Amino acid sequence: MTKLAVRACKIAEELSKLYPAPECALTHDSPFQLAVATILSAQCTDERVNMVTPVLFKKYPTPEKIAHSTQESLEEIIKSTGFFRNKAKNILGFAHAIVNEHGGVVPQELAALVKLPGIGRKTANVVLGTAFGIASGVVVDTHVTRLANRMGLTESDDAVKIERELMHLLPQDQWINFSHALIWHGRRVCNARKPNCAECTLAKLCLKVGV
DNA sequence: CTCCCGATAT
DNA sequence: ATATCAGGAG
């Protein structure tokens, strides 16, 4: 076990004490809804997403309902999340693919998921980990990228590379909780603008306190 | 690599 | 005014 891996495990342990049961902040009632909420979360606060999804899912709760909706209707509902044209198109395409190619059910394999419109590795890992309890990888989003760099767990800014490195540093049964805990910590304490190092219990394990 | 894009904090 | 927010497609 490398020195880096030892420190990574200490960080994971400390995070698990801070956030014993880290949950997905995106409200949803099904794997399908979680996938849609995650598509909406690109470059947008989850707080904002959670204001939009209740309206969206009340009108279109299932893949079938969304598949029978329209680009314009979706755009109007999700507009405030930004990138609304792309997101509406992706959500529509995703719903069609689920209905037409997967029998209305969200597939539980990474390879199948990332082929679907609007679903990349990050979203696929969220859906598999949160909705199905499958540790397909580490979720690397803007928070994980920032914190992994600040804590000196990686030097990279490439999501795929960071994921590969973190997967090697931590045992598989910690991937899901580690992802969620890092994201939670990134929102609450180690945020981009003004990281609160003074009240961060991970500061002693961090290479870049106060930077 | 660029583009998509509204809302919010600083 | 500007940076940033649970990214993905072309």
Side-chain angles (χ1 to χ4, degrees):
Chain A
M1 207 163 180
T2 65
K3 245 175 157 175
L4 182 57
V6 171
R7 203 160 56 79
C9 286
K10 285 183 184 173
I11 289 172
E13 189 184 340
E14 192 65 31
L15 281 171
S16 72
K17 277 193 256 175
L18 259 182
Y19 313 103
E23 291 174 16
C24 181
L26 301 168
T27 56
H28 60 280
D29 285 332
S30 66
F32 174 78
Q33 290 190 3
L34 175 60
V36 171
T38 308
I39 290 174
L40 289 174
S41 72
Q43 298 297 297
C44 177
T45 62
D46 50 310
E47 203 172 320
R48 171 65 53 184
V49 174
N50 288 336
M51 293 169 67
V52 165
T53 44
V55 179
L56 178 64
F57 295 144
K58 183 169 185 187
K59 193 161 186 178
Y60 307 117
T62 63
E64 290 79 10
K65 295 283 189 185
I66 291 202
H68 288 92
S69 71
T70 64
Q71 174 78 20
E72 293 72 27
S73 174
L74 293 178
E75 283 185 6
E76 187 184 345
I77 297 171
I78 70 171
K79 190 162 189 173
S80 69
T81 67
F83 298 164
F84 61 91
R85 293 188 188 86
N86 282 340
K87 287 177 182 176
K89 186 167 56 153
N90 285 335
I91 290 169
L92 206 44
F94 174 63
H96 273 113
I98 293 293
V99 171
N100 297 327
E101 300 164 25
H102 294 278
V105 180
V106 177
Q108 301 191 22
E109 300 82 33
L110 185 64
L113 276 170
V114 295
K115 285 181 187 165
L116 301 174
I119 311 292
R121 271 197 81 87
K122 182 256 171 180
T123 301
N125 280 332
V126 168
V127 171
L128 289 173
T130 300
F132 299 125
I134 299 170
S136 53
V138 174
V139 176
V140 179
D141 64 354
T142 181
H143 293 302
V144 173
T145 300
R146 184 178 66 253
L147 269 68
N149 271 281
R150 282 182 180 167
M151 292 182 180
L153 296 178
T154 180
E155 304 272 332
S156 174
D157 58 350
D158 178 62
V160 175
K161 191 181 286 184
I162 294 172
E163 182 182 357
R164 195 164 53 232
E165 293 177 4
L166 292 179
M167 286 169 76
H168 283 297
L169 287 173
L170 293 167
Q172 185 173 11
D173 60 5
Q174 294 192 32
W175 290 352
I176 298 175
N177 279 349
F178 180 76
S179 299
H180 282 114
L182 254 199
I183 292 163
W184 210 260
H185 196 65
R187 298 184 346 144
R188 309 286 292 267
V189 181
C190 191
N191 52 357
R193 304 270 193 143
K194 225 177 59 170
N196 192 353
C197 300
E199 293 184 18
C200 180
T201 55
L202 295 173
K204 58 182 180 298
L205 294 167
C206 184
L207 297 187
K208 302 192 176 177
V209 179
V211 176

